[in-house]
Every structure is written in C-alpha cells, then in structure tokens.
Amino acid sequence: MAPARAMDDSMEGVIGSRLDQRDFFEDLKSYHAERGTSLDVNARVNGKHIDLYTLFGLVNKRGGYDVVSAEKLAWRKVGQDFHLGQTNTAAYAFALKTVYYKNLAQAYEIKRIHNQEPPPREILEDISAKGGDLLTRTLENFRPPQSRDHAGNGNDSDGSGEEDSKTPKEEKMDLDEPGSGGRVTRGLRQAPPQRQLFQPDVTSSRQMRHTPSNLQSPQPLTQSTNNAYNYNPSSNPNSSSFSIANYEPRIQVPLTLRPVLTPGNNPAMFRERLKKIRETQAAKLGKIPPSYKGMMLPGTGFDGPNIYVRTLLALRSGIPGEQDYALHHLVKISHERGDKYKFEAFPGLAEGLIEKALEVGSLFYDVKWVISYSDDVSACEVNVLDGMKGTHDLLERIRRLRPLHLHDEVETEEHNRKLSKINESGLVIRNMSMLEDNAKYLSEQYPLRDFLTIALNLPHSVALVELKHYALDIAEQLTKYWSLDASDPLYLSLLEYLNDGLDRGAVLTTLRAISRISMNLEDSNRLQGVPLSTIRQLCEWTLLDDEELVAACLDFFYQFTAMSENVAFLLTHADDGTLSLHPLISQLGRLLLHNSQESYSKRLISQPVPIKSATEIPALPNDLIEQIMKYSEPDRSSHWLRACFEEDPESDITQIALWQAYQARFTRLSTAQNPLLAAAEFIKNVSTTFPTANAQVISGVNPRFIIKGIRPRHVPMDTKGRVYSRCLWRMPEDGKTCGDFYLKPGDMWEHLITVHLGLSKNEDSRWNFLEHKTAAALNGQKFTCHWAGCQHFSANGGVDDPYEVGMHVKMHLPDISAMAGHRAKFNKPGFPDRSSSSVGSGMSDNASDYVSLHGRPAVYDYFPWCNTAVDERGDAVGLPLTSVLVLKNLARNIPKAITTLEGVSDGSAGTTGKKVWMERLLGPIMPRLGFVLAHNRPLATYVSDLITAIEDGIDD
C-alpha cells in the first residue's frame, strides 16, 4: 500500500475536498451497483493490496486515465508508489492499469471527474484494458484491438498494450542505432539495416618459393615466434587441428509439430464451418434468416432499474414471489444503508411495507385489513382502516373480531412463510425508522399508527413476540411526533401492554415510548388515564436493582408528576390507602447518591511549626556514657557526635564550642591507652561522621570558625539509633524542667514516682500507694501532675490518692510498642488547656513552649464529597438527576393538587391541608436533602431549589 504521504498528496485537489475515504468507497459501491458492474475493493498486484482510493487520486493527479495511458512509462511510475517490485515491471504496470480500468477508469472517473456520460459496457467494461481515449470512445469510432502474439505478455514498454491499437505518434518513431543495445521502441517496425558478413582476407602477402602464383592457396596467418622448434599446430586457433580438437556437435532442436484438425479433436470448428456452409446455401436459395444486428433484444443492452427501484416495484406488484424478493433485499438494504435510505426518495415504499405488515391480521383473525384514503370511510366495515385521519374505534373493532383456532406449537408451512415475510416488513420499517428523517415521514402515516395498535393487541403467542418487539421499537421512535390523548387506541394499547409486565425488554421499550409522547411538539405529555395498578407496579419496579429499568420508570414519573391533575390522582389514592407513596419517595431520596464517588477536599487549618533548635548540647545519661566509653578514638568521638547532634543544612555551631564540649565530656574519662583526639583530627572527624557537615570560616573583623550542617539534639540517641525521652516535669519551686533522659518508659515512670511524687517501695518491692495516701490525708498533702504544664488535676488543687496521679502520668510516657507507628497516625498531641490569662494569645506559655520544643505538623480539615455522575460539561446526569426532578415536581404540584381537591370535593385528601401533606411525604427526606446539598456538587443547585419548593409549600 502506498504511504500515507502519497495518499494525502494524491487526493489533494481531486476529491479530497468533497469526499473522505469512507464516503468515496460508499459512492463507488453505489455507482457500480447502479451500473451493474462488479467492484473488487481487495484488488492485488504481485500479492500486494491496491488501495483504490490512493490509486484514484494518483491517476487523476496526473490528468486521468487517458493522459496516463498516452504518456510513455506513466503506468510504471504510478506503480512505483505501490512498491510492486523491481522485476517484471511491465507486467505489473499492465496489471495495475487493469485494476484501475475495471474498478475506476470506466464510468466512475468519466461521470464523477469529467461529468460526461460513459460509453456502453460492451466497449468499456466488457473488454480488456488495452487502448485509451475513453472520453471520446463511442460505438461508431471504436475498433477492438487486434490480437498479437506478444499482446498482453507484459513485454511492451509500459505494460499497457494500448499502443497496439493506436496510430503511433511521430515522437514515438525514433529508432535505436544499430549495435546500440537499446530497447525496442514502441513505434512501427522498420526494415532492418543491411549488414555485410565479415569475410577475412586469407591470402598471403608474399608468394611461396617454387610455387606458381596461379596455384597459390590461402594460408592461415601464423604468429611470429623466436622459438620455431616449439611450435605446436594444435594450439593455433587458425589451424585445422585446433578446429577438429575442439569440435562440438550442434544441439538438436525438437521439431514443432502442428496437430491436424479433424472433427474428432475440434468439433466446434467444424460445426461453425457447417453452419456457414448452410447459411451460404440458404442465401443462394433466398432463405436468409432475419438479422438482429443493431436491435436491442430482451436481456441485452439496457440493464433495467437499480436495486432500489426494483425492490419498490416488486413490493407494490402484489405478486408473492416478487414481494419475497423485495423484502429479502430491503432487510439487507435497511440494515446496511439505513442511514441514507429515505422514504421520501421512494414514494409508495412506506405504504407497501405497511400493507404487507397488516396482512398479519388474516393469520390470526377472520379479517383482511384494507386501507381507505377517502374521506367517507364507513364505520360499519370492520376491516377498513381510515388512512387519512386514523381509525379511532380500532380497539372496539379488534374486540369484535373472531380469532382463528391455531395451535401455537404446530404451524403450516404456508402460515410460517407468510408470518416470516410479515416480520421482515416490520423489521424494515423498524430499521428505517431509526433515521430521523424517516421517523418524521412515518409519523405522518396514520395507517402505521393503526398497524402498531393491531400488532400490540394480537393474541399472546410465541410466534408473535418478534413482530411485537418491532412494533414497540417503531413506537419508541415515533411517539415524540404524536400527541396521544387518553382515548387514543395506541396510547391505551401501550398502557395495557405495560400492565402485563411479562417481558423486561418490552417493558423498557414501552416505558420509553410512553415517556417520549409529544417530546418534539409544543403540546405537553399529560399521561392521563393511567391505571392505578400500573402506577403501583411502577413504584415496585423502582425498588429493583436494575439501573436501566429504574431509569425508565423515573422518566415516566417525571412526565407523570409534571401535571398537577396526576399528582392529585396520587394523593387521592394515597389518602384512601390504595397507594403508598412513602416507599417511592424514600427510594428517590436514596437514589440521589446513586453510584456516588467518595472523595475528600483538604483545607489547611494551621501552619506547621518546626522544631525549635536546641540551645544547649544535651547531657548524656550514665548508661549512654558507658556504651560510648567502650569504643576507642576516633569511634568514641563519632558515637558521641551522633548521640548529641543531628544534621541540619541550615544550622551551624562554632568549632571552639564543639571542641570544648568534647573535652568537657571525655577529659576525666580518657586514659593513656585511649587519649583525646587532637583539635584538628576532631574537626576532621566531624565531617567524616556527618557527610553534609563541613568546616567553614566566616570572614570579617573577627573571623568565625564554624561547622556548617549540624545542630544539637533536644534528646540524645544511643549507639543503636534509639532516641531517649526527656523528663518534662516542672519543679513547683522554680518552674524549671527536670531534663533527665531515659530510654525505657518504665525507667521514666519509676523516676517520676520516686523523685517527683516522693513514693517508695515496701519490703516486697511494691509501691506504698495506700500508706502514702493515708499520710497525705493526715498532712493535708495534695498530689498533682506537673508534666509540661499539664493541668489535669489543677481544677481541684490536686488529689489525695497518689495512685491516681501515678496512673495518669503514664499518659505522658512515650509509646515504643510494636503498634506505636500505627497508633501515631490517629493520635493527636495533647496540649495544655488554654488558661483564662492566655485567651488573647490563643495558647498558654506552657503549651507554646511544648510546641516549640517538639514541633507540630500542619493541621488540615478533610471535607468529604459524594459526587455523582456528570456529563462532559459537568452537569448532573443519570438516576440522581431524574430523582431530584421527580421530587421537585412533587414539591411544586402537591399544593396545586390540594387546591384542586379542595375545590372539587368536601373531604378526602383536601381536608388534610398542604402543610400536612408536604411534611408527611417530603419531610422524612429533609435530612437526606441537607446532606446531598452539602456534599454533592452536581446536585447542589437542584437540591437547593427542591428545599426552597418544600419550604414554600409548608409555609403556604
């Protein structure tokens, strides 16, 4: 196939501005069908597919078939775009030309590009691709090409063969020079130049001794040699010995034998000869048979109408065989060409299909339906349908019909054949009604409405299911153009068919057909006269887990509740207990969040607070010092640095302060075997321990030598990476923090109990909580918690029981269990309560110190959203939208319905009042509506209008 670039370039300016590729092939197929010729869209040359769209563009870009055929080697150039091969190019070029000639060059190019009438088929498609001049070819001037031995063998220069039938042009009559080795030209053959055979002069240039001149014989020339005694005659090519030694016999060519023609091996030729002899004898006797030359015989010349007209005429003929032929092809045409096959182009087609479909009545009733288009249709004739205005009493006529006694399981062959053809006519109408123009055309056919009524009221039979489904599909497409009142036969038939509810597919189609009544008209779809049983059944269907069926039911209720008279009908039966509306309204409230997608929007409540840098290097606990002292330098200093410092690219510490802290910690602990590092080595070890830290000098009046990239820790870390916990107990005397470090929560708790609460253990290592409680009660002592400003017991000035305080302080201990990481995601840091003195600042001093010491992440508020489906514009769609629209109709029309009932009756539903009905029906879903309003963006506007309508109805 040609590349995409070639295709785009080829079609530019030819048909690209009018037809795309798909329309091109559809138009080409249609034209071949009209002309009665075959189209090969999968043509191949040398095993490669030829794209007709690309080939058509390439040829017409060069000027068309005639121009390309007249140009020398033009078809080979066209074939290069398809990469047909480098060998045997002449044959491939002629095959490519034949593909174009058979599929495109014929009537299609002449008609579509040159806007001329093409020549007849017998001088165009029915002959080979030899020759050219298609635009000027007629029956009078055309002469079929003479067959030659080399014709069509691909040996001509262009692979086309058309030059054999044309007079050569003057520029094509150039001759190759003799001996040039050039290719044979395409002009007329010329007499070959006279060539002289080479005859060498073999006479000697001198005469031999003792030899008379008149007896001299030719002697071969011998090459001179200096070594005469080595001369070998057999090696001389001019010697006779050489010729004999290298003699080879000539290859024998088999004789070409021609068979003798006899009546036994060629009877056809002898029959033809005998026929000519008889005709000659008859001509001599004056018995010449009539000549049909130039006369158009039946079946020749004119091909007749196209398939569309043929099927129309066959359908209207009334001949069963012709109608079967028409319906067979119409089913295929309506399926494949239904998007462009319109009734307006074929008058009488719709009427013929309807008449054929109405024949179903005679298969099940003793009636033959007849359509009358006169104004005075007699109502006495049961079988006559009014084709001008429709038959309004059709249901009464159907009830008066006498059904035939048929067995549903056993059918005659003729009955089955007729029903099959009736189904085909219904299928054709159904397929063609899917096109909007055809639907509008059919909506004006009153006999079609009568047929739909008849089809829906046929007896319950398995054989009629297909036809009834076709009728419902047609009704779904056409009811939007019809205004059906409560007494219309088709409307009553649809309601009755819906009330049966035996087939889910039929129910869905019926609901759509009823909901679309008057959709394209200015009249409203009032949906009056709906039976109570149908309403009750639809309410039950809305509770099913069937989204498609529920959507169809809600569409019906949306149309039904748009009329206040229908809402009054609902309230009347809801008041007397024959209809319960609460399940329907509750289901509508639930459907507001049908298939909602839960998501969250994050809103920042407070900014994050970073950990405040420590101002002092932490003092290591004794157990950690013992661990570090087990190492020798420089590992000892590295562990001490990791325990007391952490990496921070923005912080720094002076080298002198770091060196002095190292000396203060390890001077008294160093030994001769493990001395301190020198200052330079220690500073270098800092960079080794922390890769991001480096020594820098800040220039100025007083240069500063710092270590950039580390800062002191708030709490130390042991050699295994475990962080210590700091005691944040504030001394009551001076308010200072204890500051001792403990690795295990148990050690921290014992520290709090013994040091800060002053408790002790008894002889069996148990805490004397009871004894200290008794002593505190006698001395009036109170126990309280001073952890980081905790004010848990400050309201009562403390408690008498030390056990209560001891259990409380466990809340401040760090969690180092296996579930600590999981619980940390849900725990919030406990801050001290706000005191009355810090209301203006928003946080007490103790809480502020705690946050600065430990930091705090950003606090976000996560708001949940339950958004339902939307379309490409962001508007609500689906069941949630239909549900809120039905609820809005109820909220707006309940007050109107109550007013109507109060005006026509003295009691019943009207006496309960508007407010009672609004609160009774819509009040229970108000919380649900509030949630949807707050958490569903697509429905927010609709729900807001709904709540407003409910409040207005209650206030009224």
Side-chain angles (χ1 to χ4, degrees):
M1 184 180 295
R5 178 189 60 80
M7 180 178 66
D8 297 339
D9 296 342
S10 63
M11 299 310 295
E12 183 179 0
V14 181
I15 59 173
S17 59
R18 294 178 296 167
L19 296 175
D20 57 9
Q21 189 170 5
R22 184 180 63 180
D23 294 338
F24 169 79
F25 279 105
E26 292 181 357
D27 185 56
L28 184 61
K29 292 178 182 178
S30 175
Y31 199 88
H32 273 274
E34 293 178 5
R35 190 166 173 85
T37 56
S38 60
L39 172 65
D40 184 11
V41 296
N42 296 319
R44 291 182 175 273
V45 175
N46 195 23
K48 296 184 178 180
H49 173 69
I50 302 300
D51 185 5
L52 298 183
Y53 181 75
T54 304
L55 180 61
F56 188 74
L58 291 172
V59 174
N60 284 276
K61 185 178 180 182
R62 293 176 175 267
Y65 178 85
D66 288 351
V67 176
V68 175
S69 299
E71 182 182 349
K72 191 174 182 180
L73 302 178
W75 284 105
R76 295 192 186 184
K77 297 176 182 178
V78 174
Q80 291 176 359
D81 294 334
F82 291 90
H83 307 288
L84 299 179
Q86 300 298 329
T87 61
N88 205 9
T89 56
Y92 297 156
F94 185 70
L96 182 65
K97 177 183 177 182
T98 302
V99 170
Y100 188 90
Y101 180 84
K102 293 296 183 181
N103 297 286
L104 300 169
Q106 28 133 333
Y108 188 77
E109 178 191 328
I110 299 173
K111 186 69 175 179
R112 293 289 188 264
I113 302 300
H114 304 287
N115 295 324
Q116 298 183 14
E117 289 298 326
R121 285 181 51 184
E122 55 265 23
I123 63 173
L124 194 58
E125 292 91 342
D126 295 344
I127 62 176
S128 67
K130 288 186 178 182
D133 298 335
L134 299 184
L135 295 176
T136 59
R137 182 180 296 183
T138 61
L139 290 172
E140 291 77 12
N141 63 8
F142 176 73
R143 293 295 180 268
Q146 299 295 328
S147 61
R148 296 181 180 179
D149 294 339
H150 68 280
N153 61 359
N155 293 331
D156 56 299
S157 60
D158 200 18
S160 60
E162 71 273 18
E163 310 303 341
D164 298 335
S165 61
K166 297 166 56 176
T167 301
K169 297 183 180 179
E170 177 140 4
E171 60 272 12
K172 294 186 178 180
M173 298 181 64
D174 53 340
L175 297 176
D176 295 331
E177 293 296 333
S180 62
R183 59 185 297 278
V184 180
T185 60
R186 291 158 58 105
L188 293 177
R189 294 180 178 270
Q190 302 295 323
Q194 297 296 329
R195 305 185 185 275
Q196 299 294 333
L197 296 177
F198 175 68
Q199 296 179 356
D201 185 10
V202 299
T203 59
S204 176
S205 61
R206 62 184 181 89
Q207 294 185 359
M208 301 294 293
R209 288 182 184 180
H210 311 295
T211 304
S213 60
N214 57 350
L215 298 177
Q216 292 179 359
S217 60
Q219 298 294 330
L221 295 176
T222 59
Q223 58 183 358
S224 61
T225 178
N226 296 329
N227 300 324
Y229 56 84
N230 290 330
Y231 173 73
N232 186 5
S234 62
S235 63
N236 186 2
N238 297 323
S239 65
S240 59
S241 300
F242 180 84
S243 301
I244 295 174
N246 294 278
Y247 170 77
E248 291 183 3
R250 295 179 60 183
I251 301 176
Q252 295 183 359
V253 179
L255 296 178
T256 301
L257 302 179
R258 298 178 61 183
V260 178
L261 299 179
T262 63
N265 58 18
N266 196 349
M269 185 187 69
F270 282 89
R271 281 197 301 268
E272 186 66 23
R273 288 182 181 180
L274 183 60
K275 180 180 178 181
K276 290 182 179 180
I277 293 173
R278 291 175 180 175
E279 290 178 355
T280 303
Q281 293 177 355
K284 292 180 180 180
L285 299 175
K287 300 179 180 180
I288 302 176
S291 176
Y292 299 103
K293 185 176 181 180
M295 183 183 299
M296 184 177 294
L297 298 178
T300 62
F302 180 62
D303 296 330
N306 56 37
I307 187 63
Y308 304 107
V309 179
R310 176 75 173 85
T311 53
L312 173 61
L313 297 178
L315 180 66
R316 302 291 291 175
S317 66
I319 303 174
E322 291 292 325
Q323 289 183 340
D324 295 349
Y325 167 85
L327 291 173
H328 171 75
H329 287 279
L330 283 174
V331 169
K332 186 176 181 180
I333 293 173
S334 64
H335 175 68
E336 297 178 354
R337 304 284 295 176
D339 56 336
K340 295 184 179 180
Y341 194 42
K342 298 182 180 181
F343 283 116
E344 294 180 351
F346 303 94
L349 178 60
E351 291 80 357
L353 291 171
I354 296 173
E355 291 175 0
K356 186 64 179 179
L358 286 173
E359 293 180 4
V360 69
S362 60
L363 298 181
F364 296 90
Y365 296 100
D366 58 342
V367 65
K368 182 178 181 181
W369 298 108
V370 179
I371 302 175
S372 175
Y373 293 95
S374 61
D375 294 335
D376 52 347
V377 178
S378 176
C380 300
E381 299 180 5
V382 178
N383 65 323
V384 179
L385 303 178
D386 189 353
M388 301 294 294
K389 302 178 183 179
T391 309
H392 300 287
D393 60 342
L394 184 57
L395 291 179
E396 298 178 2
R397 298 187 183 187
I398 294 175
R399 297 189 187 99
R400 286 184 288 170
L401 297 178
R402 182 175 61 86
L404 301 178
H405 298 286
L406 299 173
H407 296 283
D408 194 21
E409 294 81 7
V410 181
E411 297 177 355
T412 64
E413 182 179 359
E414 181 65 17
H415 182 277
N416 188 26
R417 189 193 67 82
K418 290 182 179 179
L419 183 59
S420 176
K421 297 305 174 183
I422 293 173
N423 288 337
E424 289 182 359
S425 64
L427 177 58
V428 174
I429 300 175
R430 180 259 181 197
N431 290 344
M432 297 188 66
S433 66
M434 297 300 171
L435 187 63
E436 197 66 25
D437 294 340
N438 288 337
K440 190 173 182 180
Y441 181 89
L442 289 174
S443 65
E444 300 173 358
Q445 301 291 328
Y446 285 95
L448 179 61
R449 189 187 299 189
D450 293 341
F451 161 70
L452 298 179
T453 304
I454 293 172
L456 295 179
N457 287 275
L458 288 172
H460 294 287
S461 174
V462 177
L464 292 172
V465 172
E466 181 180 358
L467 183 62
K468 290 184 178 181
H469 273 279
Y470 292 155
L472 291 175
D473 290 340
I474 297 170
E476 180 183 356
Q477 300 298 324
L478 302 185
T479 51
K480 56 188 175 183
Y481 297 105
W482 291 335
S483 178
L484 305 180
D485 55 19
S487 61
D488 190 275
L490 179 58
Y491 177 72
L492 295 175
S493 300
L494 290 173
L495 290 178
E496 182 65 24
Y497 203 83
L498 180 64
N499 198 28
D500 293 340
L502 301 178
D503 187 346
R504 175 183 176 276
V507 168
L508 287 173
T509 310
T510 306
L511 284 173
R512 296 192 189 104
I514 296 175
S515 301
R516 295 182 181 184
I517 295 176
S518 305
M519 181 183 295
N520 289 10
L521 304 178
E522 296 181 358
D523 298 338
S524 300
N525 185 10
R526 308 189 70 86
L527 291 182
Q528 295 179 344
V530 181
L532 178 62
S533 59
T534 303
I535 298 296
R536 189 182 298 112
Q537 195 170 35
L538 291 175
C539 293
E540 295 175 355
W541 285 342
T542 57
L543 303 177
L544 299 177
D545 187 15
D546 189 339
E547 184 173 351
E548 190 176 7
L549 180 59
V550 173
C553 294
L554 293 184
D555 289 338
F556 175 87
F557 278 120
Y558 173 69
Q559 298 288 341
F560 186 79
T561 57
M563 297 296 166
S564 59
E565 298 86 353
N566 296 335
V567 177
F569 173 81
L570 296 178
L571 296 181
T572 301
H573 290 282
D575 189 48
D576 59 18
T578 56
L579 178 65
S580 178
L581 295 178
H582 291 289
L584 173 63
I585 295 177
S586 299
Q587 178 67 0
L588 292 176
R590 287 190 293 269
L591 291 176
L592 294 177
L593 295 178
H594 176 73
N595 285 344
S596 60
Q597 299 294 327
E598 186 175 357
S599 60
Y600 294 90
S601 61
K602 185 170 65 173
R603 182 170 61 92
L604 181 64
I605 300 299
S606 62
Q607 296 290 342
V609 178
I611 298 176
K612 184 178 180 181
S613 299
T615 57
E616 298 179 354
I617 300 175
L620 300 183
N622 295 331
D623 58 340
L624 181 55
I625 293 176
E626 293 177 358
Q627 295 179 22
I628 295 176
M629 290 304 298
K630 295 178 181 179
Y631 298 92
S632 58
E633 294 294 354
D635 293 337
R636 181 178 65 182
S637 61
S638 296
H639 285 290
W640 176 77
L641 288 171
R642 294 192 188 97
C644 298
F645 297 89
E646 61 184 352
E647 292 181 311
D648 184 4
E650 304 298 329
S651 302
D652 60 79
I653 186 173
T654 60
Q655 297 181 16
I656 188 64
L658 187 60
W659 168 251
Q660 290 176 353
Y662 171 69
Q663 283 185 322
R665 173 56 60 188
F666 294 103
T667 297
R668 63 183 182 85
L669 300 176
S670 61
T671 60
Q673 292 78 14
N674 193 12
L676 297 179
L677 288 176
E681 295 294 331
F682 175 75
I683 297 302
K684 185 185 297 183
N685 192 38
V686 174
S687 299
T688 304
T689 306
F690 300 105
T692 60
N694 56 82
Q696 297 180 3
V697 179
I698 300 178
S699 60
V701 179
N702 297 318
R704 296 178 60 240
F705 297 87
I706 64 171
I707 299 294
K708 183 71 173 179
I710 61 174
R711 69 178 180 183
R713 291 180 177 272
H714 286 280
V715 292
M717 183 179 66
D718 70 349
T719 56
K720 296 182 180 180
R722 296 175 297 183
V723 180
Y724 281 76
S725 300
R726 185 179 183 182
C727 179
L728 300 180
W729 193 276
R730 293 183 180 272
M731 302 302 179
E733 297 82 8
D734 52 5
K736 293 182 179 181
T737 304
C738 173
D740 292 345
F741 298 103
Y742 294 93
L743 186 61
K744 299 179 180 179
D747 297 340
M748 175 72 76
W749 188 74
E750 289 190 5
H751 165 74
L752 293 173
I753 296 297
T754 56
V755 176
H756 299 299
L757 292 181
L759 303 182
S760 61
K761 296 182 179 180
N762 52 23
E763 296 178 354
D764 54 357
S765 299
R766 293 189 177 183
W767 299 100
N768 295 324
F769 288 108
L770 183 58
E771 180 180 347
H772 287 283
K773 178 181 180 180
T774 305
L778 296 176
N779 300 328
Q781 181 183 359
K782 296 291 185 179
F783 297 93
T784 185
C785 178
H786 296 285
W787 181 277
C790 176
Q791 301 178 7
H792 183 72
F793 300 104
S794 60
N796 300 325
V799 294
D800 299 333
D801 190 359
Y803 176 80
E804 184 177 354
V805 179
M807 295 299 103
H808 164 74
V809 296
K810 288 185 177 181
M811 297 175 58
H812 301 300
L813 301 180
D815 187 3
I816 62 173
S817 62
M819 295 296 293
H822 175 73
R823 286 193 288 265
K825 296 186 298 183
F826 305 98
N827 292 341
K828 294 183 179 180
F831 301 116
D833 296 334
R834 296 181 180 180
S835 61
S836 58
S837 61
S838 60
V839 173
S841 62
M843 184 175 291
S844 65
D845 294 337
N846 293 333
S848 178
D849 294 342
Y850 181 86
V851 172
S852 300
L853 180 63
H854 295 274
R856 184 180 64 188
V859 180
Y860 295 94
D861 179 26
Y862 293 90
F863 188 81
W865 292 99
C866 298
N867 295 325
T868 51
V870 295
D871 57 9
E872 62 276 2
R873 297 178 300 178
D875 298 333
V877 294
L879 295 181
L881 176 62
T882 315
S883 300
V884 73
L885 293 178
V886 174
L887 291 173
K888 283 178 63 177
N889 286 343
L890 291 174
R892 292 174 179 175
N893 290 323
I894 285 178
K896 298 179 183 179
I898 297 300
T899 303
T900 302
L901 293 175
E902 289 177 348
V904 299
S905 63
D906 298 333
S908 185
T911 59
T912 58
K914 303 175 184 178
K915 181 177 180 180
V916 176
W917 273 108
M918 295 293 287
E919 292 180 348
R920 175 182 170 184
L921 295 179
L922 301 178
I925 66 170
M926 286 298 289
R928 181 78 168 181
L929 296 179
F931 179 83
V932 175
L933 176 64
H935 298 274
N936 192 314
R937 287 193 183 98
L939 293 180
T941 304
Y942 300 97
V943 175
S944 176
D945 296 340
L946 173 59
I947 295 176
T948 302
I950 294 175
E951 293 177 349
D952 294 342
I954 294 176
D955 294 339
D956 292 341

